[in-house]
Amino acid sequence: MDIKELFAELSARNIQLRADGEQLRIQAPRGAMTARLRDTLTTHKPALLAWLGEREAESRALSEVIPNPKDRHLPFPLTDIQQAYWIGRNESFELGQVGMHEYVEIESRTLDTDRLNRSWQRLIERHEMLRAVVLPTGEQQIPEQIPSYTIEVADLRGLPPGEAAARMNEIRERLSHQVFRADEWPLFEIRAVRLDDRVRLYVSLDGLMFDWTSWQTMLREWIQLYKDPGASLPPLEISFRDYLLAEKTIAETE
């Protein structure tokens, strides 16, 4: 019996096998399991259980992502969707020159911009992908050193309402459809304006380096660090680079 050929046939019929102790569990659509296949599975049950056990052990070993901080600043591949976003902003395409972009405006009567800036800087230090760039080779990289980031604050207090509105509209027009250069850090820009009775915050982020779940995670942590500057967040032991390279290793196996 050639196990690979057998599993190819089972896969084509959408039949799944799994080992459950000394039992061989079978999940098959109605009519998919023929008498011949059933006899084959019964006859070769010990060999199939052994083979499935080996694959499960290999899978457990492969699924362990091993941290490699020594190489964290070396280039590594983009994911498929990152590559699509990166290529899609190219002006060579008819519908290009559009970034994968997140833009929000937030207003508060009590916002402390200095405190907000310090909490954002802590996020940059914590999350490597907030420091990432995409090289012209189509690889991404976490630079070893970047400058500190400062949220620019425009003081519009005391200006006539029309002039203040015009200044704020200029910021919105520039940031709301921003296309960042992927090879230059940072791939985000945060601005604030101080008005007589409130502060308005403008947040422009490039979606090359995070997805919606990532943004929600960062936003929760940003709020936590703003409220409690001394908060200790759990360490991040593996990097996105570690994860992607581990995933690539798994994809190259049977």
Side-chain angles (χ1 to χ4, degrees), residues 99-113:
M100 173 55 185
H101 186 234
E102 171 77 14
Y103 175 76
V104 294
E105 294 183 19
I106 304 166
E107 281 195 350
S108 170
R109 296 186 181 278
T110 59
L111 188 67
D112 183 330
T113 54

Side-chain angles (χ1 to χ4, degrees), residues 94-163:
E94 183 179 353
L95 300 178
Q97 288 188 290
V98 177
M100 173 55 185
H101 186 234
E102 171 77 14
Y103 175 76
V104 294
E105 294 183 19
I106 304 166
E107 281 195 350
S108 170
R109 296 186 181 278
T110 59
L111 188 67
D112 183 330
T113 54
D114 290 336
R115 188 169 181 168
L116 188 75
N117 191 86
R118 288 192 296 271
S119 58
W120 181 253
Q121 183 62 41
R122 280 195 63 186
L123 275 190
I124 294 172
E125 294 164 359
R126 172 172 169 79
H127 292 287
E128 289 183 342
M129 294 307 291
L130 283 175
R131 310 195 297 272
V133 295
V134 180
L135 304 175
T137 58
E139 298 173 292
Q140 55 193 325
Q141 185 175 27
I142 313 300
E144 290 192 43
Q145 293 185 341
I146 56 169
S148 295
Y149 187 79
T150 300
I151 297 174
E152 186 176 334
V153 182
D155 191 346
L156 306 185
R157 289 175 294 186
L159 291 182
E163 185 177 346

Side-chain angles (χ1 to χ4, degrees), residues 67-76 142 239 241-242 245:
N68 184 13
K70 177 175 65 71
D71 293 337
R72 66 178 22 171
H73 299 297
L74 297 180
F76 59 103
I142 313 300
S239 70
R241 184 180 190 276
D242 295 330
L245 295 182

Side-chain angles (χ1 to χ4, degrees), residues 192-230:
V193 297
R194 194 181 307 282
L195 302 168
D196 291 329
D197 59 345
R198 66 196 186 280
V199 173
R200 179 177 293 181
L201 190 68
Y202 303 79
V203 182
S204 171
L205 304 163
D206 197 308
L208 259 177
M209 298 309 174
F210 67 93
D211 57 17
W212 179 248
T213 303
S214 306
W215 165 236
Q216 293 299 304
T217 299
M218 289 191 299
L219 188 58
R220 285 196 303 270
E221 292 184 351
W222 195 9
I223 293 170
Q224 181 180 354
L225 292 172
Y226 176 82
K227 289 182 175 179
D228 181 7

Side-chain angles (χ1 to χ4, degrees), residues 14-74:
N14 201 25
I15 298 172
Q16 299 178 16
L17 298 185
R18 67 179 179 86
D20 182 9
E22 297 301 314
Q23 299 299 315
L24 192 63
R25 303 299 184 189
I26 304 170
Q27 183 176 338
R30 184 183 298 274
M33 181 64 73
T34 65
R36 176 185 61 80
L37 278 175
R38 191 176 297 278
D39 289 344
T40 299
L41 296 179
T42 301
T43 302
H44 299 286
K45 176 182 170 182
L48 290 169
L49 286 172
W51 191 88
L52 287 169
E54 292 171 1
R55 300 292 81 73
E56 184 179 355
E58 288 177 0
S59 178
R60 283 198 301 269
L62 285 170
S63 64
E64 182 181 0
V65 181
I66 300 174
N68 184 13
K70 177 175 65 71
D71 293 337
R72 66 178 22 171
H73 299 297
L74 297 180

Side-chain angles (χ1 to χ4, degrees), residues 178-203:
Q178 199 166 12
V179 181
F180 293 89
R181 280 199 55 165
D183 60 345
E184 291 184 359
W185 186 84
L187 290 176
F188 57 81
E189 184 172 352
I190 303 176
R191 296 282 305 275
V193 297
R194 194 181 307 282
L195 302 168
D196 291 329
D197 59 345
R198 66 196 186 280
V199 173
R200 179 177 293 181
L201 190 68
Y202 303 79
V203 182

